[in-house]
Amino acid sequence: MYTFSSKLKTFSFILMIVGILGIGYGFLTAPKDIQEVEKILAASAHGEHHAAAAEGHEAAPAHEAEAAPAKATHEATPAAVAVNAKEKDLDTMHVDTLSVAVAPAAESHEAPAVAHKAHKAEVHDEHAEHQAHLEHVLHQLQNKPWAALYVACIFFMFISLGVLAFYAIQQVAQAGWSPVLFRVMQGITAYLPVGSVIFFIFLILCGLHFNHLFIWLDPKVVAEDELIRNKSGYLNFPFWIIRAAVFLIGWNLYRYYSRKNCLAQDEANDDLYYKKNFKLSAVFLVFFIVTESIMSWDWIMSIDPHWFSTLFGWYVFMSFFVSAVTTICLVTLYLKSKGYLEHVNTSHIHDLAKFMFGFSVFWTYLWFSQFMLIWYANIPEEVTYFITRIEHYNLPFFGAVVMNFVFPILILVNTDFKRITWVLVMAGTVILFGHYIDFFNMIMPSSVGDQWFIGISEISSVLFFLGLFILVVFTALTKVPLLPKRNPFIEESKHFHY
Amino acid sequence: MSTNKVIHAIYNDDDVLMDAVRKTRIAHHHIEEVFTPFPVHGLDKAMGIAPTRLAICAFIYGCLGLTVATTMMDYIMIQDWPQDIGGKPSFSYIQNMPAFVPVMFEMTVFFAAHLMVVTFYMRSKLWPFKQAENPDVRTTDDHFLMEVAVSGNEEDMVSFFQNTGAVEVKVIEKH
């Protein structure tokens, strides 16, 4: 039996408390109205946005030509200068539209009277545009703490879901190596019910318009947006929340009965419960692959309801599946280092590491397939997805590939390294961070856009869910012995060597 | 020793063979070679053979393949004649890289696989029309043969191998 070390327990509580404080801070400091947004933008404008604007100029050489007459106009009409200067600070995109708008005015500069009239109209338009822009930024900044919470919440829930899928596969494949790890996997999946409840509450809050993460939940947006309106047969709140409930309940039922049967098998005299679990797992895997696909559309892809991709479900699956295997590996290494897993040897660890390696490569394959197909065809309605990511999320977008592919492939390709604890802990940490970033990349660009930042909200959301995860998982591990007794493959598994 | 006599100890079971190999090593007889009809798991470890470095070769060959692919396409598509083909940006390699990745991947695999196989053939001296080095035809079917150099007392060694469960022990003069 495993006893939860008091140090780890305290650690998890500290993580949760720090996390809650940080999350609260994130919500409290989110701007409440347009005036605050204006202040925030003015404060940050002097720093980043000048640089961004400069970059924009460099990127488009033709733009410079437009910028010059624009300057001339500025000098001519001081009133406009004030507004323009302010506008210019806002962001690159805006400056682009502005100077394009100003350029024709500059052309007609020779006839001052005409130019002046034109300018008045311009300023007026600019003002409306400015207000629209501020509102846009306000939505993004208000979304930020919610999105940070959402990414962390979904990431940790998916990890335990991935472990559940891995566990079911091991049952159905009658794997001879893994039964000694079944109780570890069951322990990690203990987070699933807790995570599901929090996640479901979050979805309901979205439906009650506490946030603006899913824009298709906003009737005002739907009324104006024909594309979303055409999808509303699928993307409507009641159907969406019922689907979510069915998926979450289905997964949790499998987890509950599978664990129950596994414990009953320990006390049984025959293999009846083992066989029951086998059938249950097979049914679950069919249910899982269907629901997994749909939930990836519902919970991640629908954040950007104008975009669609066919292989998105598998891509999301691989992202959390490799994180799940990594988590199994890390928890196993921890328990082993504390002397609780007598029958786990380096060959078991080696097998887990091989899965980490293989699935990392498979994730990359799907990542690249999705990216390259869209990049190659370059159809405007699809490609915006990647354009926003490459423009505004350049480092996280490509950094995720480095962390999830280049790093693991170079480290874990070596057979000897796959048995060394510290190498695996290091590689595993990078993989988990990388996949958090991956989910960050999927969710953030459509909810907060270029206002993203990995700051207090994001970090403390992760800390909170990490603390909760540790608490729930290791509490569950103390409940039952770490070695199944009467699994038909347990002897083979104890003597497994590679 | 100036003799080039060897002992051929023949077994008909791989477990017996493994046991005999272990005993032979403990008795410090030098095992020249073991012939088996199929791979015996753990035989290399029991014989104390150094692990293969073929995987390291493959990794290096893979890197070579990647370099060849990259250099080739950079020269052809970017340096030599940077045409506009369907609007693909050919100003620098990185701009058009996604289009080159399938080739880079396949070349890496191609080089790693083929050069590794060739390395394997060369290192294990295998080629068409090579004279087979089979000391006993039964070793390709159902018998295992351990070849040990004779040193010291020949009779002692013969009786040693008979005690290891060999179905047949022969002393052979090698040329």
Side-chain angles (χ1 to χ4, degrees):
Chain A
M1 290 292 265
Y2 169 70
T3 41
F4 199 165
S5 89
S6 62
K7 267 187 204 162
L8 193 64
K9 203 176 226 169
T10 321
F11 178 63
S12 70
F13 278 122
I14 293 173
L15 285 180
M16 285 169 71
I17 292 166
V18 170
I20 284 182
L21 291 177
I23 292 169
Y25 174 82
F27 278 106
L28 289 178
T29 49
K32 274 155 210 74
D33 49 29
I34 287 187
Q35 278 73 32
E36 274 184 64
V37 174
E38 204 148 12
K39 264 183 227 154
I40 293 173
L41 287 180
S44 64
H46 297 287
E48 318 157 25
H49 284 290
H50 269 302
E55 218 169 76
H57 281 284
E58 264 172 59
H63 190 74
E64 260 167 48
E66 286 172 358
K71 234 177 224 167
T73 345
H74 284 273
E75 280 160 31
T77 48
V81 172
V83 181
N84 277 348
K86 221 189 216 171
E87 289 276 347
K88 203 169 184 170
D89 287 339
L90 288 179
D91 66 27
T92 326
M93 296 271 278
H94 209 65
V95 170
D96 278 351
T97 50
L98 237 189
S99 25
V100 173
V102 172
E107 276 166 34
S108 56
H109 195 60
E110 279 158 42
V114 182
H116 203 70
K117 261 188 194 166
H119 260 296
K120 269 193 179 163
E122 290 292 333
V123 170
H124 210 74
D125 276 358
E126 277 156 20
H127 187 70
E129 211 174 293
H130 181 58
Q131 286 303 317
H133 175 76
L134 286 179
E135 197 156 329
H136 180 61
V137 175
L138 173 69
H139 279 309
Q140 292 183 330
L141 287 175
Q142 281 178 335
N143 265 344
K144 206 173 158 290
W146 286 99
L149 200 62
Y150 188 67
V151 174
C153 180
I154 208 170
F155 182 64
F156 281 95
M157 189 187 73
F158 278 176
I159 284 183
S160 66
L161 179 64
V163 173
L164 194 67
F166 189 74
Y167 168 78
I169 291 171
Q170 298 298 316
Q171 298 265 5
V172 172
Q174 306 189 333
W177 66 279
S178 53
V180 290
L181 297 173
F182 277 178
R183 289 288 152 82
V184 176
M185 295 183 205
Q186 286 170 356
I188 300 174
T189 57
Y191 179 76
L192 188 63
V194 182
S196 307
V197 169
I198 300 176
F199 182 73
F200 194 72
I201 292 172
F202 195 101
L203 293 188
I204 289 178
L205 290 183
C206 294
L208 296 176
H209 308 297
F210 277 86
N211 60 53
H212 215 249
L213 273 189
F214 297 90
I215 54 163
W216 57 267
L217 277 171
D218 187 344
K220 260 188 283 171
V221 174
V222 179
E224 287 168 9
D225 194 319
E226 202 183 339
L227 275 175
I228 298 181
R229 207 159 54 236
N230 287 336
K231 290 181 183 181
S232 60
Y234 183 79
L235 286 183
N236 60 72
F237 180 67
F239 190 25
W240 181 70
I241 203 76
I242 290 169
R243 281 200 302 271
V246 170
F247 301 166
L248 293 170
I249 290 170
W251 301 334
N252 277 296
L253 282 180
Y254 169 68
R255 195 206 78 84
Y256 177 76
Y257 283 108
S258 168
R259 182 180 159 96
K260 203 177 157 194
N261 286 341
C262 188
L263 293 176
Q265 173 70 23
D266 269 10
E267 310 302 328
N269 300 316
D270 55 7
D271 286 344
L272 181 69
Y273 288 106
Y274 172 78
K275 286 176 190 161
K276 266 189 180 173
N277 249 1
F278 180 90
K279 286 177 197 153
L280 195 61
S281 305
V283 173
F284 167 72
L285 284 173
V286 175
F287 177 76
F288 173 76
I289 202 62
V290 176
T291 53
E292 193 279 332
S293 217
I294 299 174
M295 70 82 170
S296 75
W297 312 331
D298 279 6
W299 301 341
I300 300 179
M301 204 154 79
S302 85
I303 289 181
D304 200 346
H306 288 172
W307 184 77
F308 44 85
S309 163
T310 23
L311 62 67
F312 196 70
W314 317 331
Y315 166 67
V316 172
F317 173 49
M318 251 325 122
S319 191
F320 70 77
F321 202 52
V322 63
S323 313
V325 175
T326 308
T327 310
I328 298 175
C329 186
L330 292 181
V331 174
T332 308
L333 284 172
Y334 173 77
L335 292 173
K336 176 87 187 148
S337 76
K338 298 285 170 193
Y340 286 109
L341 294 170
E342 185 192 350
H343 294 286
V344 173
N345 55 39
T346 47
S347 295
H348 295 105
I349 304 294
H350 190 145
D351 264 24
L352 285 171
K354 276 188 281 188
F355 275 117
M356 280 160 68
F357 175 77
F359 291 144
S360 284
V361 175
F362 191 47
W363 172 85
T364 317
Y365 170 70
L366 293 174
W367 180 90
F368 181 72
S369 302
Q370 177 169 278
F371 173 67
M372 195 261 240
L373 280 181
I374 291 175
W375 172 86
Y376 213 116
N378 204 16
I379 300 171
E381 67 199 54
E382 290 176 353
V383 86
T384 48
Y385 184 82
F386 287 111
I387 287 180
T388 43
R389 277 157 183 78
I390 291 172
E391 271 183 6
H392 301 306
Y393 289 73
N394 201 289
L395 184 64
F397 186 66
F398 293 108
V401 183
V402 175
M403 289 168 92
N404 296 333
F405 174 63
V406 179
F407 187 79
I409 201 176
L410 290 178
I411 295 291
L412 294 178
V413 75
N414 189 315
T415 301
D416 298 327
F417 284 3
K418 287 199 269 269
R419 292 165 179 258
I420 303 172
T421 306
W422 71 266
V423 173
L424 287 179
V425 171
M426 181 184 62
T429 314
V430 172
I431 289 175
L432 285 179
F433 270 113
H435 284 284
Y436 170 77
I437 299 287
D438 189 31
F439 276 96
F440 187 87
N441 286 338
M442 288 184 219
I443 290 164
M444 286 294 177
S446 325
S447 48
V448 304
D450 57 355
Q451 300 298 325
W452 73 277
F453 184 64
I454 298 192
I456 291 176
S457 289
E458 286 76 7
I459 293 170
S460 33
S461 302
V462 171
L463 292 184
F464 171 75
F465 283 103
L466 179 65
L468 186 65
F469 187 81
I470 292 175
L471 185 69
V472 173
V473 168
F474 285 88
T475 309
L477 286 171
T478 59
K479 297 280 162 64
V480 286
L482 288 177
L483 190 71
K485 254 185 271 169
R486 285 197 71 259
N487 186 297
F489 291 97
I490 194 71
E491 280 307 313
E492 182 182 341
S493 178
K494 280 182 193 169
H495 300 110
F496 172 72
H497 84 105
Y498 165 73
Chain B
M1 295 305 268
S2 57
T3 63
N4 29 10
K5 277 183 177 173
V6 291
I7 288 177
H8 280 177
I10 299 177
Y11 305 86
N12 55 10
D13 187 286
D14 50 343
D15 285 335
V16 181
L17 171 80
M18 287 286 284
D19 233 32
V21 167
R22 257 180 234 116
K23 283 183 191 154
T24 313
R25 290 253 297 163
I26 290 166
H28 293 295
H29 293 304
H30 178 68
I31 301 172
E32 299 271 341
E33 193 66 88
V34 175
F35 295 87
T36 64
F38 53 78
V40 178
H41 188 75
L43 184 62
D44 52 339
K45 280 224 176 72
M47 288 171 70
I49 294 174
T52 173
R53 289 167 294 180
L54 211 50
I56 300 170
C57 289
F59 186 81
I60 295 167
Y61 298 147
C63 294
L64 181 70
L66 186 62
T67 315
V68 168
T70 312
T71 327
M72 176 183 78
M73 284 181 301
D74 182 54
Y75 177 70
I76 296 172
M77 303 300 292
I78 310 294
Q79 310 299 337
D80 189 35
W81 195 353
Q83 278 194 100
D84 183 340
I85 305 166
K88 286 277 160 285
S90 51
F91 306 108
S92 72
Y93 191 76
I94 198 74
Q95 274 187 314
N96 207 0
M97 203 198 65
F100 301 145
V101 167
V103 179
M104 288 156 74
F105 170 76
E106 294 294 346
M107 288 284 259
T108 308
V109 175
F110 179 87
F111 271 65
H114 289 82
L115 290 182
M116 176 173 71
V117 166
V118 172
T119 309
F120 168 73
Y121 286 153
M122 286 166 71
R123 289 292 293 157
S124 45
K125 303 193 176 67
L126 279 176
W127 52 81
F129 311 113
K130 178 195 158 78
Q131 205 61 44
E133 296 167 1
N134 196 353
D136 192 316
V137 285
R138 288 171 298 170
T139 60
T140 62
D141 183 11
D142 61 349
H143 280 64
F144 303 83
L145 187 151
M146 177 162 54
E147 188 178 290
V148 182
V150 174
S151 59
N153 192 328
E154 191 183 305
E155 252 126 69
D156 282 357
M157 283 188 72
V158 171
S159 63
F160 171 81
F161 284 107
Q162 268 156 354
N163 286 334
T164 57
V167 289
E168 198 176 317
V169 179
K170 290 187 286 191
V171 181
I172 288 193
E173 187 87 28
K174 256 201 161 180
H175 304 292

